[in-house]
PDB file of all heavy atoms in Angstrom:
ATOM      1  N   VAL A  74      22.730 -22.677  61.946  1.00 78.00           N
ATOM      2  CA  VAL A  74      21.401 -22.078  62.153  1.00 78.00           C
ATOM      3  C   VAL A  74      21.039 -22.101  63.632  1.00 78.00           C
ATOM      4  O   VAL A  74      20.550 -21.115  64.182  1.00 78.00           O
ATOM      5  CB  VAL A  74      20.333 -22.832  61.313  1.00 78.00           C
ATOM      6  CG1 VAL A  74      18.937 -22.400  61.701  1.00 78.00           C
ATOM      7  CG2 VAL A  74      20.580 -22.611  59.832  1.00 78.00           C
ATOM      8  N   VAL A  75      21.300 -23.226  64.293  1.00 78.00           N
ATOM      9  CA  VAL A  75      20.997 -23.341  65.723  1.00 78.00           C
ATOM     10  C   VAL A  75      21.806 -22.315  66.516  1.00 78.00           C
ATOM     11  O   VAL A  75      21.284 -21.680  67.436  1.00 78.00           O
ATOM     12  CB  VAL A  75      21.276 -24.778  66.222  1.00 78.00           C
ATOM     13  CG1 VAL A  75      21.234 -24.856  67.735  1.00 78.00           C
ATOM     14  CG2 VAL A  75      20.278 -25.750  65.622  1.00 78.00           C
ATOM     15  N   ASP A  76      23.057 -22.126  66.166  1.00 81.00           N
ATOM     16  CA  ASP A  76      23.891 -21.135  66.858  1.00 81.00           C
ATOM     17  C   ASP A  76      23.316 -19.730  66.696  1.00 81.00           C
ATOM     18  O   ASP A  76      23.256 -18.957  67.650  1.00 81.00           O
ATOM     19  CB  ASP A  76      25.327 -21.173  66.334  1.00 81.00           C
ATOM     20  CG  ASP A  76      26.070 -22.424  66.776  1.00 81.00           C
ATOM     21  OD1 ASP A  76      25.595 -23.095  67.715  1.00 81.00           O
ATOM     22  OD2 ASP A  76      27.123 -22.720  66.177  1.00 81.00           O
ATOM     23  N   ARG A  77      22.894 -19.398  65.481  1.00 82.00           N
ATOM     24  CA  ARG A  77      22.315 -18.064  65.243  1.00 82.00           C
ATOM     25  C   ARG A  77      21.016 -17.879  66.019  1.00 82.00           C
ATOM     26  O   ARG A  77      20.774 -16.834  66.615  1.00 82.00           O
ATOM     27  CB  ARG A  77      22.089 -17.831  63.753  1.00 82.00           C
ATOM     28  CG  ARG A  77      23.383 -17.527  63.001  1.00 82.00           C
ATOM     29  CD  ARG A  77      23.068 -17.173  61.591  1.00 82.00           C
ATOM     30  NE  ARG A  77      22.420 -18.352  60.991  1.00 82.00           N
ATOM     31  CZ  ARG A  77      22.710 -18.851  59.811  1.00 82.00           C
ATOM     32  NH1 ARG A  77      23.579 -18.277  59.058  1.00 82.00           N
ATOM     33  NH2 ARG A  77      22.104 -19.927  59.344  1.00 82.00           N
ATOM     34  N   ILE A  78      20.172 -18.901  66.019  1.00 83.00           N
ATOM     35  CA  ILE A  78      18.913 -18.823  66.759  1.00 83.00           C
ATOM     36  C   ILE A  78      19.196 -18.671  68.249  1.00 83.00           C
ATOM     37  O   ILE A  78      18.560 -17.868  68.940  1.00 83.00           O
ATOM     38  CB  ILE A  78      18.031 -20.066  66.488  1.00 83.00           C
ATOM     39  CG1 ILE A  78      17.526 -20.036  65.053  1.00 83.00           C
ATOM     40  CG2 ILE A  78      16.878 -20.152  67.469  1.00 83.00           C
ATOM     41  CD1 ILE A  78      16.822 -21.305  64.619  1.00 83.00           C
ATOM     42  N   SER A  79      20.156 -19.429  68.731  1.00 83.00           N
ATOM     43  CA  SER A  79      20.518 -19.364  70.149  1.00 83.00           C
ATOM     44  C   SER A  79      21.013 -17.973  70.525  1.00 83.00           C
ATOM     45  O   SER A  79      20.621 -17.424  71.567  1.00 83.00           O
ATOM     46  CB  SER A  79      21.599 -20.409  70.450  1.00 83.00           C
ATOM     47  OG  SER A  79      22.005 -20.329  71.785  1.00 83.00           O
ATOM     48  N   ASP A  80      21.867 -17.402  69.694  1.00 83.00           N
ATOM     49  CA  ASP A  80      22.364 -16.047  69.962  1.00 83.00           C
ATOM     50  C   ASP A  80      21.224 -15.031  69.968  1.00 83.00           C
ATOM     51  O   ASP A  80      21.155 -14.157  70.839  1.00 83.00           O
ATOM     52  CB  ASP A  80      23.416 -15.641  68.920  1.00 83.00           C
ATOM     53  CG  ASP A  80      24.707 -16.436  69.054  1.00 83.00           C
ATOM     54  OD1 ASP A  80      24.914 -17.048  70.125  1.00 83.00           O
ATOM     55  OD2 ASP A  80      25.494 -16.445  68.092  1.00 83.00           O
ATOM     56  N   THR A  81      20.327 -15.145  69.008  1.00 85.00           N
ATOM     57  CA  THR A  81      19.196 -14.226  68.919  1.00 85.00           C
ATOM     58  C   THR A  81      18.305 -14.370  70.152  1.00 85.00           C
ATOM     59  O   THR A  81      17.870 -13.371  70.737  1.00 85.00           O
ATOM     60  CB  THR A  81      18.374 -14.512  67.648  1.00 85.00           C
ATOM     61  OG1 THR A  81      19.228 -14.390  66.516  1.00 85.00           O
ATOM     62  CG2 THR A  81      17.212 -13.554  67.515  1.00 85.00           C
ATOM     63  N   LEU A  82      18.065 -15.606  70.557  1.00 83.00           N
ATOM     64  CA  LEU A  82      17.234 -15.857  71.735  1.00 83.00           C
ATOM     65  C   LEU A  82      17.896 -15.296  72.996  1.00 83.00           C
ATOM     66  O   LEU A  82      17.226 -14.662  73.821  1.00 83.00           O
ATOM     67  CB  LEU A  82      16.987 -17.362  71.888  1.00 83.00           C
ATOM     68  CG  LEU A  82      16.076 -17.782  73.033  1.00 83.00           C
ATOM     69  CD1 LEU A  82      14.680 -17.206  72.838  1.00 83.00           C
ATOM     70  CD2 LEU A  82      16.015 -19.293  73.144  1.00 83.00           C
ATOM     71  N   ASP A  83      19.195 -15.505  73.136  1.00 83.00           N
ATOM     72  CA  ASP A  83      19.921 -14.955  74.287  1.00 83.00           C
ATOM     73  C   ASP A  83      19.800 -13.439  74.334  1.00 83.00           C
ATOM     74  O   ASP A  83      19.545 -12.859  75.402  1.00 83.00           O
ATOM     75  CB  ASP A  83      21.401 -15.349  74.238  1.00 83.00           C
ATOM     76  CG  ASP A  83      21.635 -16.805  74.588  1.00 83.00           C
ATOM     77  OD1 ASP A  83      20.704 -17.448  75.118  1.00 83.00           O
ATOM     78  OD2 ASP A  83      22.756 -17.299  74.329  1.00 83.00           O
ATOM     79  N   ASP A  84      19.988 -12.793  73.200  1.00 83.00           N
ATOM     80  CA  ASP A  84      19.880 -11.329  73.141  1.00 83.00           C
ATOM     81  C   ASP A  84      18.481 -10.873  73.526  1.00 83.00           C
ATOM     82  O   ASP A  84      18.306  -9.900  74.264  1.00 83.00           O
ATOM     83  CB  ASP A  84      20.244 -10.811  71.744  1.00 83.00           C
ATOM     84  CG  ASP A  84      21.722 -11.003  71.422  1.00 83.00           C
ATOM     85  OD1 ASP A  84      22.514 -11.224  72.360  1.00 83.00           O
ATOM     86  OD2 ASP A  84      22.072 -10.948  70.227  1.00 83.00           O
ATOM     87  N   SER A  85      17.466 -11.580  73.032  1.00 84.00           N
ATOM     88  CA  SER A  85      16.078 -11.213  73.334  1.00 84.00           C
ATOM     89  C   SER A  85      15.777 -11.376  74.817  1.00 84.00           C
ATOM     90  O   SER A  85      15.175 -10.492  75.442  1.00 84.00           O
ATOM     91  CB  SER A  85      15.107 -12.079  72.527  1.00 84.00           C
ATOM     92  OG  SER A  85      15.287 -11.867  71.153  1.00 84.00           O
ATOM     93  N   VAL A  86      16.187 -12.492  75.381  1.00 83.00           N
ATOM     94  CA  VAL A  86      15.941 -12.734  76.812  1.00 83.00           C
ATOM     95  C   VAL A  86      16.677 -11.702  77.652  1.00 83.00           C
ATOM     96  O   VAL A  86      16.115 -11.149  78.613  1.00 83.00           O
ATOM     97  CB  VAL A  86      16.365 -14.173  77.192  1.00 83.00           C
ATOM     98  CG1 VAL A  86      16.357 -14.360  78.704  1.00 83.00           C
ATOM     99  CG2 VAL A  86      15.450 -15.193  76.532  1.00 83.00           C
ATOM    100  N   ASN A  87      17.914 -11.397  77.314  1.00 80.00           N
ATOM    101  CA  ASN A  87      18.668 -10.386  78.067  1.00 80.00           C
ATOM    102  C   ASN A  87      17.987  -9.022  77.979  1.00 80.00           C
ATOM    103  O   ASN A  87      17.942  -8.271  78.962  1.00 80.00           O
ATOM    104  CB  ASN A  87      20.114 -10.298  77.566  1.00 80.00           C
ATOM    105  CG  ASN A  87      20.942 -11.488  78.006  1.00 80.00           C
ATOM    106  OD1 ASN A  87      20.644 -12.114  79.021  1.00 80.00           O
ATOM    107  ND2 ASN A  87      21.965 -11.812  77.248  1.00 80.00           N
ATOM    108  N   GLY A  88      17.444  -8.696  76.810  1.00 82.00           N
ATOM    109  CA  GLY A  88      16.739  -7.431  76.638  1.00 82.00           C
ATOM    110  C   GLY A  88      15.505  -7.364  77.528  1.00 82.00           C
ATOM    111  O   GLY A  88      15.234  -6.344  78.172  1.00 82.00           O
ATOM    112  N   VAL A  89      14.734  -8.447  77.560  1.00 81.00           N
ATOM    113  CA  VAL A  89      13.528  -8.490  78.398  1.00 81.00           C
ATOM    114  C   VAL A  89      13.910  -8.377  79.871  1.00 81.00           C
ATOM    115  O   VAL A  89      13.288  -7.612  80.632  1.00 81.00           O
ATOM    116  CB  VAL A  89      12.732  -9.800  78.135  1.00 81.00           C
ATOM    117  CG1 VAL A  89      11.639  -9.987  79.171  1.00 81.00           C
ATOM    118  CG2 VAL A  89      12.146  -9.792  76.736  1.00 81.00           C
ATOM    119  N   LEU A  90      14.913  -9.103  80.298  1.00 78.00           N
ATOM    120  CA  LEU A  90      15.349  -9.043  81.706  1.00 78.00           C
ATOM    121  C   LEU A  90      15.814  -7.640  82.076  1.00 78.00           C
ATOM    122  O   LEU A  90      15.531  -7.146  83.174  1.00 78.00           O
ATOM    123  CB  LEU A  90      16.466 -10.066  81.960  1.00 78.00           C
ATOM    124  CG  LEU A  90      16.063 -11.544  81.885  1.00 78.00           C
ATOM    125  CD1 LEU A  90      17.290 -12.435  82.035  1.00 78.00           C
ATOM    126  CD2 LEU A  90      15.022 -11.882  82.930  1.00 78.00           C
ATOM    127  N   GLU A  91      16.505  -6.994  81.156  1.00 80.00           N
ATOM    128  CA  GLU A  91      16.980  -5.627  81.411  1.00 80.00           C
ATOM    129  C   GLU A  91      15.793  -4.672  81.551  1.00 80.00           C
ATOM    130  O   GLU A  91      15.765  -3.836  82.455  1.00 80.00           O
ATOM    131  CB  GLU A  91      17.900  -5.185  80.267  1.00 80.00           C
ATOM    132  CG  GLU A  91      18.588  -3.861  80.518  1.00 80.00           C
ATOM    133  CD  GLU A  91      19.548  -3.519  79.397  1.00 80.00           C
ATOM    134  OE1 GLU A  91      20.286  -4.414  78.937  1.00 80.00           O
ATOM    135  OE2 GLU A  91      19.537  -2.336  78.986  1.00 80.00           O
TER     136      GLU A  91
END
Side-chain angles (χ1 to χ4, degrees):
V74 170
V75 169
D76 289 344
R77 284 186 298 226
I78 291 171
S79 177
D80 291 343
T81 302
L82 183 62
D83 286 346
D84 292 343
S85 298
V86 170
N87 286 334
V89 169
L90 292 175
E91 188 176 317

